[in-house]
Amino acid sequence: MSQKKKKSPIRPTSIRRKPSDGENDTPRDRETPGEAHQGEDLPDIIEALTGPAGASLFGEGDDMPVRNPADIPETLPVLAVRDIVVFNYMILPLFVGREKSVQAVDAALAGDRYILILTQKDEAVEDPTPDDLYRTGTVGMIMRMLKMPDGRLKVLVQGLARAKVRRFTSNDPYHIAELTPIMEPEADPLTPEQEALVRSSREQSERILSLRGISSADIMSVLNNVSEPGRLADLIASNLRMKVEAAQNILECVEPLRRLELVNEQLLKEVEVASMQNKIQAMAKEGMDKAQRDFYLREQMKAIKRELGDDGDESEEMEGLRKGLSASGMPKEVMKEAFKQLKRLESMHAESSEATVIRTYLDWMIDLPWKKLSRDRLDIKKAEEILNDDHYDLEKVKERILEYLSVRKLNPRMKGPILCFVGPPGVGKTSLGRSIARSLGRKFHRMSLGGMRDEAEIRGHRRTYIGAMPGRIIQAIKQCGTRNPVIMLDEIDKLGSDFRGDPSSALLEVLDPEQNYSFTDHYLNVPFDLSKVMFICTANMLDSIPGPLMDRMEVIRIPGYTEQEKTVITRRYIIPRQTKENGLEPEELVITDKLVSKVVREYTREAGLRNVEREIGTLCRKMARKKAEGEKGPFKITANNLYKLLGPPRFLDDEKEPILPPGVAVGLAWTPVGGEILHIEVTTMPGKGKLTLTGKLGDVMKESAQAALSIARARADVYGIDPNFADNLDIHVHVPAGATPKDGPSAGVTLVTALISALTDTPVSPDLAMTGEISLRGRVLPVGGIKEKILAAVSRGMKKVLIPAQNKKDLAEIPDELRKRITIKTVEKVDEIWPLARLK
C-alpha cells in the first residue's frame, strides 16, 4: 500500500500509541540499559526530536518523505524490542541502549532509514538470538534520532509495512535479516456484515475512550475517515492495551477482515475491564464519601454532647467497643449485627435502660471466643499415660478417647463427638471428663442439669428486659475462653419440664453435630459454632432420657467395680487424696491392702466408691487428731483398731441364710446405684385360687407374677404339682421392704422359681441367685445390668448365678477375678431352672 507524501513526518491522521498501565510502558525512572523501549511521555519526546536539535541532526528540517513499502529492500538491519509490538501507521519513540541495537539504528540512518522491528518472545533476555525473536515484524522508517549524553539513542519511528523474515544473514555486530514484505490486499467494497464489523469496532473504541475519560472527538474523526478494515484494525490495535502474545497474533494476521475481528474481540475484553474498573472506582469513591460524611457527623455529635455536658468518657467507651468488636474475629454477618447495635447505642442517652441492655450485649459479643481454639494434644501415647494415671480400668472409655484423638490427628476438621457415660453414682463419670480434657489439652467446664426445668437455661433469655443473660452453654464457652472446650452435661437423665419449656428439647440442637455449627442463643440472636466443642453427658439410667435426645449421643456404660478393683483404686487414688486433704503426709498413714479390702467388704456395699472414700476419710481424720495432739507417726491401721475406729462392721457375709424355707428365692435387680439382692416370698393357703401381690410392686412385676402363675398351672404335671391347686389354694406373693417401690422386667425367673418351690414344698438353694424374664411359651428372655447384678451376688456371698442364655455375650465384661468367685449358669427355657435351683 502506497503512502502519500505529507509535509510533516508525523501524520496528522495517525493515532499515537500511549503507554499502558504497566504492560508495555517503561518510565524513565526504571529504564533498563541495553534495550529498545517505548517512551512514556510521547509529546515531549516528539518535541525534542522534531525541534531545532532534531532538525539539525537531519539537516533539511521537517520535510521527511514517506517511502513506498514496495521499495523496501530485501535485506535490513534488525531492531529487537521488548514489551511492544509495532503496527503499520504507528508513530512512536523508542529508547535504544543495547550495543547491537545502536549499531542497527546507525546502519539504517547511514542507508535509506529502513529498519526491521521484531519483538522478543521473552523480554528478560538481554542479548536475543534469532530464536528469541518472532519471525513476523514491521518495517519502520526512522524519522528522527537524538543522541543522549550516556550514549543511548532516542528515535522516532513510523511503521510502514508488515514483513516476514526468511532468514538471518548476520548476527554480528548487529542482526541483519532477509525479509519478504507483506502487502495489504486491495480493498473490495464492504458487504453489510463487514460494514457492521467496522462500525462495531468504531463504537467499541468510542466506548473505551469514554470509560477512560478521554476526549474522543479528534480520535473518532480519524477513525471515521478510515474505511479499509485492515488499516482500521492496525490503527485501533496500536492503541489497545494488549499482551505481547495477543498483539503479535494480530500482527501476523494478513487477511484484513479477520484481523479486524481479532481486534474487535480485544475491544470487547477491554470494554469489560474498563467497565469493571469504573465500577470499582465508583464504589471506592462512594465508600470514601460515606466515611467522610460519617466522620463529619460524628464530630458534630461529639461537639453537641460537649456543649450539653454529656461527653465524659462516653466517646472513649464507644471507641473501645468499636475496637473490641473489630478485633473479636466474629463472622461477617455477626459483625454486621454487632455494629448495628453499636450505632443504636451511640444515639441513645447513656443513662437509659435500653442503653444498659445493649452495652451488656456488646460486652458479651466482644468477650466470646469467636475464633480462639485450644491446640489439641495429639500425642496419643502421652494422652494414654494421662488417662491411665487418673483412672484404673475403664478400658472401653479410654479406648474411645484415644480413637477420637487418632481421628482428630488425621482429620483436624472433624466434629466433636457427643459421649454419654451411663453408670451408678461414684464410679468416676465426672472425674473421667476432667481426665479427658487434660489428655486433650482443652479447658473443662461442668454443667449440672439436675432439676433444670426452664428452656431459657439452655437457649438464653431474649433481650427484652434488664438482667437478661445468655444460656448456660454460651456462658460456659465464655468462661473457658476457647471455642473447643470439653463441656460435661452432668445428670442429663434428671432434666425436668413444665410450663416454662422443655430443656431436653432445647438440647437436641446443642447435641447434634449436624446442627450445632449454627446454634442460636436467644440472647445473642446470632449463630455460634458449637461443632468444635466436645460434649460429655452423664446419667445414672437411660429410661428417663427422651429417645430423640439419646439418639444423638454415643452411650458408653460404666458398670460398678469389683472388690479387687475397689481395693486397687482406694490404694492408688483415694488414700493419697484423703491423707493430703486431712493434713497428713503420705507415709504417716499405714494400712495394708488386706485391711483396705476389709473396709470395702464389711463397711460398704455399693457399685461406686463414695462410701469407701468416706470411710477412708474417717480413718484419716482419726489419725489427724492424734497428730494434732502431739503424737508422732506413722499411724498404723490394724485389724484390732479398725473396729474401734470405724465401729462394728455394717455388712457381714453370714447375713446370707444358710437354708431357705420353701417358697423363697433370691433374685437380682438393677438399680441406679448398682445391683441389689431381692428376696421373693411365696406362701399358699386354703382358698379358691386368689393371687395376692404385696411389696409395692409395679405393673411390670405384677404381670410377671401372673405369667409365672400361668406357667406353673400349665406345667403342673412336669413339676409334680397338684393340678387342682388353683381351685383349692390362695397364693400370696410378697417382696420384703414393702415401702420401697419395685419394678422391672427381670424378676420373672425368680417369681416362677419361688412359686414352684411353694407349691412343691421344696426349698431353693440358698447359694443361688437368678435374674431373667419369662414368656408364656416358657422362654427365658434377656435382661440388662448383668455385671452389676453379678457384683451384688458376689458381695452377698452367693456361689451360683442363673442368667438368660441370650445374656451370655455380656459375660465378656465380667473380670476374670470376679468369675472365679462365682459359678454362672445360662438357661434358655423355664424347664431348665428348677433342676438347677432346688436344694439337692
Side-chain angles (χ1 to χ4, degrees):
M1 182 182 296
S2 63
Q3 304 267 357
K4 294 184 178 180
K5 184 176 180 180
K6 299 291 181 181
K7 182 176 181 181
S8 171
I10 302 177
R11 300 162 67 93
T13 59
S14 298
I15 300 177
R16 300 186 180 91
R17 177 181 172 93
K18 295 185 178 180
S20 63
D21 298 333
E23 187 174 298
N24 292 325
D25 59 318
T26 306
R28 292 180 181 180
D29 60 350
R30 59 183 181 93
E31 292 175 15
T32 304
E35 61 182 354
H37 293 289
Q38 179 188 354
E40 184 187 31
D41 43 1
L42 180 59
D44 295 343
I45 297 172
I46 293 177
E47 181 180 355
L49 291 172
T50 58
S56 63
L57 286 171
F58 295 103
E60 293 295 333
D62 295 340
D63 193 10
M64 181 67 202
V66 178
R67 311 290 178 86
N68 189 337
D71 301 333
I72 296 173
E74 292 187 357
T75 303
L76 286 177
V78 176
L79 175 63
V81 296
R82 39 184 164 187
D83 68 24
I84 186 175
V85 175
V86 179
F87 290 90
N88 289 354
Y89 318 110
M90 184 176 180
I91 299 175
L92 78 162
L94 295 173
F95 294 86
V96 181
R98 287 185 287 204
E99 184 62 29
K100 284 187 177 182
S101 299
V102 171
Q103 293 190 26
V105 171
D106 290 340
L109 291 173
D112 49 15
R113 299 186 183 177
Y114 287 121
I115 193 167
L116 179 60
I117 304 173
L118 297 178
T119 304
Q120 292 182 201
K121 296 177 182 178
D122 184 0
E123 64 179 50
V125 178
E126 288 295 330
D127 187 13
T129 64
D131 293 335
D132 296 323
L133 303 175
Y134 288 105
R135 291 306 179 104
T136 301
T138 302
V139 176
M141 169 72 72
I142 299 178
M143 302 170 62
R144 290 288 185 268
M145 185 274 289
L146 179 65
K147 287 188 177 180
M148 305 292 292
D150 58 359
R152 292 185 299 164
L153 303 179
K154 288 184 179 180
V155 296
L156 192 67
V157 299
Q158 179 183 11
L160 297 181
R162 288 172 173 76
K164 188 172 184 63
V165 177
R166 295 199 302 268
R167 68 186 184 91
F168 285 86
T169 59
S170 176
N171 296 324
D172 191 46
Y174 53 87
H175 295 300
I176 301 175
E178 289 183 2
L179 56 92
T180 300
I182 302 174
M183 308 304 293
E184 286 286 329
E186 293 294 331
D188 296 327
L190 299 177
T191 64
E193 292 82 359
Q194 296 168 351
E195 181 65 30
L197 179 61
V198 171
R199 291 185 182 182
S200 175
S201 300
R202 290 171 180 165
E203 290 172 0
Q204 298 297 340
S205 300
E206 185 174 11
R207 188 176 177 188
I208 291 174
L209 293 173
S210 175
L211 290 171
R212 297 294 185 195
I214 301 173
S215 178
S216 60
D218 295 339
I219 299 176
M220 290 310 300
S221 64
V222 174
L223 295 180
N224 289 332
N225 289 332
V226 178
S227 60
E228 297 126 355
R231 183 172 182 184
L232 181 62
D234 290 342
L235 287 175
I236 296 175
S238 63
N239 291 274
L240 272 179
R241 301 174 180 177
M242 293 182 291
K243 293 184 178 180
V244 171
E245 292 81 359
Q248 183 68 28
N249 190 31
I250 293 174
L251 180 69
E252 294 176 359
C253 183
V254 178
E255 205 279 313
L257 288 173
R258 176 55 185 159
R259 189 157 70 243
L260 187 58
E261 289 177 358
L262 295 176
V263 170
N264 201 48
E265 292 175 4
Q266 295 295 328
L267 282 172
L268 292 174
K269 293 180 182 179
E270 185 68 17
V271 166
E272 186 176 352
V273 173
S275 300
M276 185 58 65
Q277 186 175 356
N278 276 10
K279 182 178 180 181
I280 294 172
Q281 290 175 351
M283 291 171 60
K285 185 176 184 300
E286 181 181 352
M288 188 180 301
D289 293 342
K290 184 178 183 301
Q292 291 173 347
R293 175 177 174 275
D294 292 348
F295 176 77
Y296 177 71
L297 292 175
R298 197 172 288 112
E299 292 299 319
Q300 280 188 325
M301 187 179 295
K302 290 180 181 179
I304 293 172
K305 288 184 177 180
R306 281 196 297 269
E307 292 297 325
L308 293 174
D310 294 341
D311 185 34
D313 297 330
E314 186 178 351
S315 59
E316 295 182 6
E317 181 186 5
M318 297 301 166
E319 188 63 28
L321 289 174
R322 186 174 288 104
K323 290 181 179 178
L325 291 175
S326 300
S328 63
M330 60 183 65
K332 184 178 180 180
E333 293 301 321
V334 178
M335 184 82 70
K336 182 179 178 181
E337 174 65 20
F339 274 101
K340 177 182 176 181
Q341 297 298 326
L342 180 60
K343 287 183 179 179
R344 290 185 59 204
L345 179 62
E346 290 175 337
S347 63
M348 294 178 183
H349 193 279
E351 303 300 325
S352 67
S353 59
E354 190 174 0
T356 303
V357 172
I358 295 178
R359 190 177 289 107
T360 305
Y361 171 74
L362 293 176
D363 287 339
W364 271 98
M365 297 290 279
I366 292 172
D367 292 341
L368 284 176
W370 296 95
K371 282 191 174 180
K372 186 176 180 182
L373 293 169
S374 299
R375 178 177 293 182
D376 285 344
R377 182 187 290 116
L378 299 178
D379 187 344
I380 311 301
K381 297 294 184 183
K382 181 66 175 178
E384 186 176 10
E385 291 178 6
I386 292 174
L387 291 173
N388 290 333
D389 289 344
D390 290 352
H391 288 272
Y392 175 74
D393 198 27
L394 302 179
E395 296 301 328
K396 282 191 175 181
V397 182
K398 295 176 183 177
E399 183 179 358
R400 178 64 183 86
I401 300 305
L402 296 178
E403 288 172 357
Y404 167 75
L405 286 176
S406 302
V407 176
R408 178 79 178 172
K409 186 174 184 178
L410 300 177
N411 180 19
R413 288 190 293 272
M414 73 168 295
K415 298 175 181 177
I418 313 296
L419 304 180
C420 183
F421 297 153
V422 180
V427 295
K429 299 186 296 295
T430 303
S431 61
L432 187 60
R434 291 193 179 91
S435 298
I436 292 172
R438 192 162 77 91
S439 64
L440 289 172
R442 294 189 183 186
K443 298 293 184 65
F444 176 79
H445 183 88
R446 176 186 168 274
M447 182 189 309
S448 177
L449 303 181
M452 183 183 293
R453 295 178 177 270
D454 192 353
E455 178 191 354
E457 292 286 330
I458 303 297
R459 289 193 176 275
H461 304 263
R462 300 190 183 276
R463 299 194 311 273
T464 54
Y465 55 90
I466 297 176
M469 293 186 67
R472 295 178 65 183
I473 299 293
I474 296 297
Q475 292 182 38
I477 296 289
K478 178 188 174 185
Q479 291 176 18
C480 293
T482 63
R483 195 160 58 87
N484 62 338
V486 175
I487 296 181
M488 172 161 280
L489 305 177
D490 219 356
E491 311 294 348
I492 197 171
D493 57 329
K494 297 175 179 62
L495 282 172
S497 62
D498 60 9
F499 65 92
R500 288 168 291 186
D502 184 3
S504 63
S505 298
L507 281 173
L508 293 177
E509 182 183 5
V510 175
L511 299 181
D512 193 338
E514 300 300 326
Q515 298 179 18
N516 61 11
Y517 66 90
S518 60
F519 172 72
T520 301
D521 187 276
H522 287 163
Y523 181 82
L524 299 182
N525 202 29
V526 292
F528 190 90
D529 187 4
L530 297 179
S531 62
K532 300 295 183 183
V533 179
M534 185 175 186
F535 288 102
I536 299 177
C537 306
T538 68
N540 297 131
M541 55 192 303
L542 297 176
D543 298 344
S544 58
I545 303 177
L549 182 59
M550 192 168 65
D551 183 59
R552 284 160 166 78
M553 301 183 295
E554 179 181 345
V555 177
I556 299 177
R557 296 185 179 274
I558 304 178
Y561 296 107
T562 65
E563 180 181 317
Q564 183 183 18
E565 290 171 340
K566 289 181 180 180
T567 302
V568 175
I569 294 171
T570 302
R571 171 62 65 190
R572 287 188 184 180
Y573 306 106
I574 296 178
I575 292 177
R577 181 165 60 243
Q578 286 298 323
T579 53
K580 182 179 180 180
E581 290 181 0
N582 288 282
L584 297 175
E585 296 298 328
E587 63 274 4
E588 289 182 329
L589 180 67
V590 180
I591 181 170
T592 63
D593 289 345
K594 185 176 181 180
L595 284 178
V596 171
S597 298
K598 194 175 185 64
V599 171
V600 170
R601 182 173 59 256
E602 297 183 0
Y603 290 87
T604 65
R605 189 155 288 174
E606 58 177 347
L609 291 157
R610 288 181 178 171
N611 286 327
V612 175
E613 185 147 7
R614 293 189 186 100
E615 300 300 331
I616 296 298
T618 300
L619 293 176
C620 291
R621 289 194 300 273
K622 302 286 187 184
M623 300 303 105
R625 178 180 176 181
K626 290 184 178 182
K627 181 179 179 180
E629 290 175 350
E631 292 189 28
K632 300 295 183 181
F635 305 103
K636 188 173 182 180
I637 307 297
T638 64
N640 295 328
N641 63 11
L642 179 64
Y643 297 141
K644 181 180 179 182
L645 295 172
L646 296 182
R650 298 181 181 85
F651 306 98
L652 298 174
D653 288 343
D654 57 7
E655 282 183 346
K656 176 172 65 65
E657 298 182 41
I659 298 177
L660 294 176
V664 179
V666 178
L668 296 172
W670 179 91
T671 70
V673 296
E676 287 291 339
I677 288 291
L678 202 64
H679 286 82
I680 293 180
E681 301 174 352
V682 178
T683 187
T684 60
M685 63 203 79
K688 297 182 179 181
K690 180 182 178 181
L691 177 64
T692 303
L693 303 173
T694 58
K696 206 169 186 180
L697 305 182
D699 291 338
V700 176
M701 288 190 70
K702 290 179 181 178
E703 293 172 358
S704 297
Q706 294 284 356
L709 180 59
S710 298
I711 289 175
R713 293 179 63 183
R715 289 173 166 76
D717 56 341
V718 176
Y719 302 119
I721 303 174
D722 181 4
N724 299 320
F725 78 90
D727 299 328
N728 305 324
L729 297 176
D730 287 344
I731 300 174
H732 186 173
V733 178
H734 177 69
V735 182
T740 304
K742 308 170 194 69
D743 199 9
S746 62
V749 167
T750 313
L751 283 166
V752 75
T753 302
L755 186 58
I756 295 172
S757 174
L759 292 173
T760 58
D761 197 29
T762 305
V764 177
S765 172
D767 295 326
L768 175 69
M770 60 191 72
T771 183
E773 188 55 283
I774 57 174
S775 70
L776 287 178
R777 293 180 296 166
R779 296 181 60 212
V780 178
L781 305 179
V783 293
I786 293 298
K787 182 177 179 181
E788 290 87 345
K789 293 175 180 179
I790 293 178
L791 281 171
V794 172
S795 65
R796 299 303 193 278
M798 297 295 168
K799 303 300 182 183
K800 293 184 292 183
V801 172
L802 296 184
I803 65 173
Q806 295 184 45
N807 285 116
K808 190 173 183 179
K809 61 182 185 302
D810 297 320
L811 297 179
E813 300 179 1
I814 309 299
D816 293 338
E817 178 267 339
L818 190 63
R819 296 180 66 175
K820 290 177 182 178
R821 299 177 58 184
I822 195 166
T823 301
I824 302 173
K825 299 287 187 180
T826 61
V827 290
E828 188 174 355
K829 296 182 179 181
V830 173
D831 296 339
E832 302 174 19
I833 299 173
W834 184 241
L836 297 172
R838 66 185 180 184
L839 183 64
K840 301 294 189 291

